[in-house]
């Protein structure tokens, strides 16, 4: 593969010996650091934690997959380091960090970061939505390999200096061959609130699993609220239920962040709410593929009416164990879930 191999000393120097001040975050793989190479290029370094039981396979998976991908809405892998007992991935640095940072203080759904959120006007959010959709379309249809991401969420969407979105973190991704449309796994990986029902319950995943995750991400971008841990003073349930209830009551725009409802393009907002509900329909065959989603986002054609979404309910959602992140949004699940039909 045409991939640079970095010396450990080069990475250590670039990150000031992995100093805490350069630490950007922590994921299931391990810590991520900002660095600056000798030529002035800024980089992001994912360092496999030596105590991580899941990282090595994901490291190999990510190197194999993302090294072959080239798209403006996918984060670019610059190289890796496999010296001594170190395993590190070196990426282009995204100065505006991850999408979730612009919505939630400490990624907590109960404490929205109002200051950061208002920076993301509707026009910028719509630009981000369209970019994510094009990145997914490339993975599903236009890349040399058909790739299912399996962990699409706000923390895995990075923003460059111009707020263009780039999908990141391919440690959980899987490739499909030729005519293959779905697969089954006994090891369900992903993140609370983003997993499609058929995947969370039966381990069946396909491109439509990513479409479901995209629909959740779309709801979160529009509402400024997380699906997991969603709270409404007059309602129980999650963000999916809240959106569906408003749709059935004929008040879908009530879902929108108040800031957007006052300043955004209401017809565009309504169209995106409609598309999100199409993406999170309960049965995968009823969800659009990403080529249809991109077309719907870029046109004014009439959309089909959405059917009942897939509702996920968690047993003890805040106590369930998941992969190594500390922010409650990490990416491995050992939980039981039930799929209940809407009333």
């Amino acid at each position: 593969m045409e991939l640079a191999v970095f010396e450990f000393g080069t990475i250590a120097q670039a990150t000031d010996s992995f100093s805490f001040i350069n630490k950007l975050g922590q994921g299931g793989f391990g810590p991520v650091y900002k660095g600056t190479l000798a030529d002035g290029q800024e980089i992001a370094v994912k360092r496999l934690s030596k105590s991580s039981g899941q990282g090595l396979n994901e490291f190999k998976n990510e190197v194999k997959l993302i090294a072959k991908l080239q798209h403006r809405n996918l984060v670019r892998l610059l190289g890796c380091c496999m010296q001594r007992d170190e395993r590190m991935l070196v990426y282009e640095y995204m100065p505006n960090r991850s999408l979730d940072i612009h919505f939630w203080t400490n990624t907590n759904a109960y404490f929205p970061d109002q200051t950061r959120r208002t920076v993301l006007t509707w026009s910028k959010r719509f630009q981000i939505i369209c970019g994510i959709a094009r990145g997914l379309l490339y993975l599903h249809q236009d890349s040399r390999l058909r790739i299912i991401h399996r962990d699409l969420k706000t923390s895995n969407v990075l923003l460059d200096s111009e707020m263009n979105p780039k999908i990141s973190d391919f440690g959980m991704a899987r490739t499909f061959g030729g005519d293959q449309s779905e697969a089954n796994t006994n090891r369900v990986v992903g993140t609370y609130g983003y997993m499609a029902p058929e995947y969370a319950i039966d381990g069946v995943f396909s491109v439509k699993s990513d479409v479901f995750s995209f629909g959740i991400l779309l709801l979160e971008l529009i509402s400024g609220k997380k699906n997991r841990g969603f709270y409404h003073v007059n309602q129980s349930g999650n963000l999916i239920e809240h959106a569906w209830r408003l749709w059935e009551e004929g008040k879908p725009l009530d879902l929108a962040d108040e800031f957007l409802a006052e300043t955004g393009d209401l017809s565009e907002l309504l169209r995106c709410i409609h598309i999100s509900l199409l993406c999170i329909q309960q049965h995968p065959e009823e969800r659009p593929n990403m080529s249809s989603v991109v077309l719907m986002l870029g046109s004014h054609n009439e959309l089909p009416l959405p059917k009942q979404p897939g509702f996920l309910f968690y047993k003890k959602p805040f106590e369930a164990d998941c992969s190594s992140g500390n922010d409650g949004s990490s990416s491995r699940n050992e939980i039981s879930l039930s799929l209940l039909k809407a009333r």
Side-chain angles (χ1 to χ4, degrees):
M1 293 181 292
E2 297 176 2
L3 190 66
V5 177
F6 289 86
E7 296 288 330
F8 175 81
T10 302
I11 304 300
Q13 183 178 2
T15 58
D16 194 17
S17 298
F18 307 99
S19 67
F20 180 79
I21 198 171
N22 282 327
K23 188 173 180 179
L24 297 174
Q26 178 85 26
F29 183 105
V32 182
Y33 298 90
K34 180 185 177 182
T36 306
L37 297 175
D39 62 2
Q41 182 179 10
E42 292 182 316
I43 57 174
V45 179
K46 289 175 65 173
R47 188 184 192 189
L48 173 61
S49 171
K50 294 180 177 62
S51 62
S52 172
Q54 68 181 73
L56 184 57
N57 287 336
E58 289 161 13
F59 174 88
K60 294 176 181 177
N61 195 54
E62 192 149 2
V63 169
K64 285 190 294 184
L65 289 186
I66 200 169
K68 300 177 182 179
L69 302 177
Q70 295 291 332
H71 191 273
R72 67 188 304 250
N73 294 118
L74 303 181
V75 70
R76 187 160 59 97
L77 180 65
L78 302 177
C80 62
C81 174
M82 296 176 286
Q83 194 174 9
R84 292 185 266 179
D85 58 347
E86 293 284 350
R87 299 291 183 270
M88 291 183 280
L89 296 172
V90 181
Y91 287 94
E92 59 178 330
Y93 174 66
M94 295 287 104
N96 282 308
R97 311 279 294 274
S98 60
L99 188 55
D100 63 329
I101 289 173
H102 293 267
F103 283 90
W104 300 289
T105 303
N106 296 323
T107 65
N108 191 318
Y110 295 113
F111 299 101
D113 191 328
Q114 302 289 352
T115 304
R116 286 182 180 269
R117 266 166 59 202
T118 54
V119 172
L120 287 179
T121 61
W122 173 246
S123 62
K124 288 183 180 177
R125 293 191 202 195
F126 187 68
Q127 171 190 320
I128 289 168
I129 289 166
C130 292
I132 297 169
R134 288 192 295 268
L136 274 182
L137 174 59
Y138 172 79
L139 292 176
H140 291 177
Q141 185 172 304
D142 297 332
S143 64
R144 285 179 288 177
L145 302 169
R146 179 180 292 180
I147 296 173
I148 315 301
H149 189 278
R150 295 205 298 172
D151 199 23
L152 183 68
K153 55 185 176 180
T154 52
S155 60
N156 283 342
V157 176
L158 305 181
L159 301 170
D160 68 12
S161 58
E162 297 178 351
M163 303 299 283
N164 295 309
K166 296 185 183 249
I167 299 170
S168 70
D169 202 335
F170 288 79
M172 308 289 187
R174 287 282 296 272
T175 59
F176 275 7
D179 297 328
Q180 188 179 8
S181 61
E182 68 176 38
N184 189 281
T185 180
N186 293 322
R187 178 173 169 265
V188 174
V189 294
T191 301
Y192 301 154
Y194 293 91
M195 288 187 291
E198 71 278 2
Y199 179 48
I201 296 170
D202 298 318
V204 176
F205 63 92
S206 66
V207 292
K208 298 298 183 72
S209 311
D210 280 352
V211 171
F212 185 94
S213 300
F214 175 79
I216 298 297
L217 194 151
L218 192 46
L219 286 179
E220 292 185 337
L221 276 168
I222 291 166
S223 67
K225 297 178 175 65
K226 279 189 174 183
N227 184 40
R228 180 176 180 241
F230 170 76
Y231 171 78
H232 190 281
V233 67
N234 296 320
Q235 297 174 8
S236 61
N238 54 22
L239 183 60
I240 299 173
E241 283 188 277
H242 179 59
W244 183 245
R245 185 178 290 112
L246 290 173
W247 178 267
E248 289 196 309
E249 292 173 355
K251 302 183 295 185
L253 284 172
D254 285 1
L255 177 71
D257 190 326
E258 185 177 337
F259 159 68
L260 298 182
E262 294 172 354
T263 61
D265 182 328
L266 296 186
S267 63
E268 211 168 53
L269 262 172
L270 181 58
R271 189 171 185 84
C272 284
I273 293 170
H274 195 152
I275 293 170
S276 71
L277 292 173
L278 291 172
C279 290
I280 62 171
Q281 292 177 107
Q282 180 171 318
H283 302 293
E285 62 272 13
E286 293 172 346
R287 300 171 206 149
N289 55 36
M290 287 312 300
S291 59
S292 297
V293 170
V294 170
L295 184 62
M296 289 188 286
L297 287 169
S299 72
H300 299 283
N301 297 336
E302 186 175 353
L303 302 177
L305 290 175
K307 297 180 181 178
Q308 169 185 299
F311 296 141
L312 291 180
F313 291 87
Y314 298 94
K315 296 179 180 178
K316 300 181 180 179
F318 297 106
E319 298 176 21
D321 181 36
C322 56
S323 77
S324 62
N326 298 319
D327 63 357
S329 59
S330 49
S331 303
R332 187 183 305 273
N333 298 305
E334 302 292 344
I335 58 175
S336 59
L337 305 96
S338 299
L339 180 65
L340 304 181
K341 290 189 177 181
R343 294 181 293 279

